[in-house]
Amino acid sequence: MADIGAMASLADVVNYCDERVLLGQVPDFPGAENGLQVENRGQVTKIGATVDAGLETFRSAVSRGIDFLIVHHGLFWSPLPPIVGTNYEKLKTLLHHNCALYSSHLPLDCHKEIGNNALLAQVLQIRPIQWFLEYEGQPVGLIAEWQGDRATLRDRLAAQFPGTCKAIEFGSPAPNRVALVSGSGGSAIPELISLGVDTLITGELKQEHFNRAQEERLNLYPCGHYATEVFGVRALAHETADRFNLPCEFIDTQCPL
């Protein structure tokens, strides 16, 4: 139970998050800048979590009294954009309202306990078998055991991701292994057959993957980039809030993509 009026130092909160997501041990895309992206005046009283570092999300966060916001898709990607227009408004909102921003991208996809793929497997009640899809030596995708038919898997996904789950079914009607790649998972498709997997659960795909599913006899389930990546930031925020006895809130933007 959070202690009303409790406070933690920004440095302590950041150090905890860095250690929990194994910051520095997981490579990421150029310019991702995992970790603290914007600091505040040094104290944290309420932790928030959301998927994207968007202006409206920042405004929602500060209106809720959040002064440490954890995101999956941070502010900075390569190349660094000029701090003008909306980019200026984003930073102005955070700085004016003393809200720190912490970002964790691939570390929160591949984390074996609080990562998006690990938690998705847990939600779907399927047992992880192995990790795959390496990025600079770090596997970010997960293969799990499935016991049941394709229709049951589809129904379970539709229940978890109402409105965003799509089914492209040309593979086995009773797959025994499924791959999970949160976010954008098209890069996993070339590896599936060599691993004996014909079923992929992911966030988003491209139109061309429909033809590949037909040609290579695959089951593909794009369930929404946003929807498959709410798990990690939410778990990290709640764990951090519990560690420092602080209130915590997840900001759901209802992104349909």
Side-chain angles (χ1 to χ4, degrees), residues 161-219:
F161 302 108
T164 59
C165 177
K166 305 290 188 297
I168 304 168
E169 299 178 322
F170 296 104
S172 169
N176 55 25
R177 300 207 298 170
V178 300
L180 296 88
V181 180
S182 59
S184 183
S187 60
I189 291 177
E191 295 190 26
L192 296 181
I193 299 300
S194 65
L195 293 170
V197 178
D198 72 350
T199 301
L200 170 67
I201 300 167
T202 188
E204 65 174 309
L205 295 170
K206 294 183 178 180
Q207 187 270 346
E208 67 190 62
H209 294 130
F210 178 81
N211 291 328
R212 291 197 65 171
Q214 288 181 313
E215 295 161 357
E216 300 179 27
R217 316 310 299 172
L218 302 173
N219 298 315

Side-chain angles (χ1 to χ4, degrees), residues 37-39 50-62 66 69 71 73-77 80-101:
Q37 293 194 334
V38 179
E39 64 182 355
T50 195
V51 175
D52 301 305
L55 177 58
E56 292 306 315
T57 307
F58 291 171
R59 289 171 174 166
S60 179
V62 299
I66 291 168
L69 181 64
V71 299
H73 302 128
L75 275 177
F76 307 115
W77 302 91
L80 182 67
I83 308 302
V84 299
T86 300
N87 291 326
Y88 168 75
E89 291 296 331
K90 288 179 181 180
L91 284 173
K92 177 184 174 183
T93 300
L94 293 173
L95 295 172
H96 182 73
H97 295 279
N98 189 40
C99 183
L101 183 71

Side-chain angles (χ1 to χ4, degrees), residues 141-160:
L142 179 62
I143 294 175
E145 181 181 47
W146 172 253
Q147 295 181 338
D149 59 21
R150 183 173 62 192
T152 303
L153 177 62
R154 182 200 321 125
D155 290 345
R156 196 171 294 184
L157 289 169
Q160 179 63 40

Side-chain angles (χ1 to χ4, degrees), residues 13-116:
V13 172
V14 170
N15 287 338
Y16 178 84
C17 290
D18 287 350
E19 292 176 4
R20 190 66 178 108
V21 302
L22 306 176
L23 189 76
Q25 299 181 39
V26 180
D28 210 326
F29 302 145
E33 296 296 337
N34 291 311
L36 184 66
Q37 293 194 334
V38 179
E39 64 182 355
N40 65 10
R41 290 192 286 270
Q43 301 294 329
V44 177
T45 61
K46 183 176 181 179
I47 293 174
T50 195
V51 175
D52 301 305
L55 177 58
E56 292 306 315
T57 307
F58 291 171
R59 289 171 174 166
S60 179
V62 299
S63 73
R64 300 168 192 231
I66 291 168
D67 50 17
F68 186 85
L69 181 64
I70 299 172
V71 299
H72 186 57
H73 302 128
L75 275 177
F76 307 115
W77 302 91
S78 186
L80 182 67
I83 308 302
V84 299
T86 300
N87 291 326
Y88 168 75
E89 291 296 331
K90 288 179 181 180
L91 284 173
K92 177 184 174 183
T93 300
L94 293 173
L95 295 172
H96 182 73
H97 295 279
N98 189 40
C99 183
L101 183 71
Y102 187 95
S103 177
S104 185
H105 185 231
L106 288 188
L108 273 185
D109 285 315
C110 67
H111 198 286
K112 292 177 174 56
E113 295 175 348
I114 59 171
N116 290 315

